[in-house]
Amino acid sequence: MGKDAKKKPLKAKQPAAKKVVKKVTKPKAPAAALPAPPDLPVAAKPRKRVLKAEARHLAPLDVPAPGDIEVLRRLWETVEARRLAGDAASSHSARLMARGTAKVAQKLGEEAVECVIEATLGNRQPTIMESADLLYHLIVVWVDAGIRPEEVWAELVRREGISGIAEKAARPKAILRAAETTKLP
């Protein structure tokens, strides 16, 4: 009996140790970033058939076209046309600009943060998508501020071939005072 009693605790301890190892090595499903309120229903994971249906419906949007830098000019023209029309009921751009410059700038910041998060996580496709959102909201900022793309391109041409360190050092000191910092931006 003494031998059996000694064997049973050893057997019981070994599987428990394996379970601890399994819990440590096997990743669990990612938890939500923020806790949901207790009265808010939690959505279940979409079923395979729902995901397939979504993929079918979104397939026409998956255009395998080559990239074209001219799309930025066309996008600026579209956003400018929406601003001039001022139809906030049918245009997201017009609605955003109608809410004021602070809201336009806030949206740009939100998209920048989302892009940074996806890039930091190494998520290629979401980074591409968030980059497109970021460029769109940057163009909305330009339109809201009365900036034409050619002005930005001219600044990029001016900086071409200049070291970033040298360019920042050459910025007027008033910019640094306005920013209330001694560090170069």
Side-chain angles (χ1 to χ4, degrees), residues 130-163:
E130 292 300 338
S131 295
D133 290 347
L134 179 58
L135 287 171
Y136 162 74
H137 283 90
L138 177 61
I139 287 176
V140 174
V141 165
W142 292 353
V143 169
D144 185 65
I147 297 170
R148 297 188 57 79
E150 296 79 18
E151 295 174 273
V152 178
W153 308 156
E155 178 61 16
L156 288 172
V157 168
R158 185 189 70 78
R159 294 181 185 188
E160 192 172 15
I162 299 173
S163 159

Side-chain angles (χ1 to χ4, degrees), residues 21-122:
V21 172
K22 285 182 183 178
K23 286 182 182 177
V24 171
T25 59
K26 186 177 180 183
K28 293 183 178 181
L34 296 173
D39 59 335
L40 183 70
V42 179
K45 183 179 174 185
R47 294 185 175 156
K48 268 188 181 178
R49 64 183 168 86
V50 172
L51 294 174
K52 285 182 181 180
E54 285 177 350
R56 261 194 328 273
H57 291 294
L58 294 174
L61 300 175
D62 190 19
V63 181
D68 178 10
I69 193 68
E70 284 298 307
V71 72
L72 293 176
R73 180 190 51 78
R74 293 190 302 270
L75 179 58
W76 184 91
E77 289 172 354
T78 301
V79 173
E80 175 66 3
R82 299 297 193 271
R83 181 189 68 80
L84 293 172
D87 187 5
S90 65
S91 167
H92 175 68
S93 300
R95 184 178 318 126
L96 187 56
M97 286 182 278
R99 295 178 72 188
T101 300
K103 186 62 178 179
V104 171
Q106 177 188 351
K107 285 298 292 179
L108 176 65
E110 289 172 8
E111 295 302 333
V113 169
E114 290 171 9
C115 186
V116 166
I117 290 168
E118 294 300 343
T120 302
L121 294 174

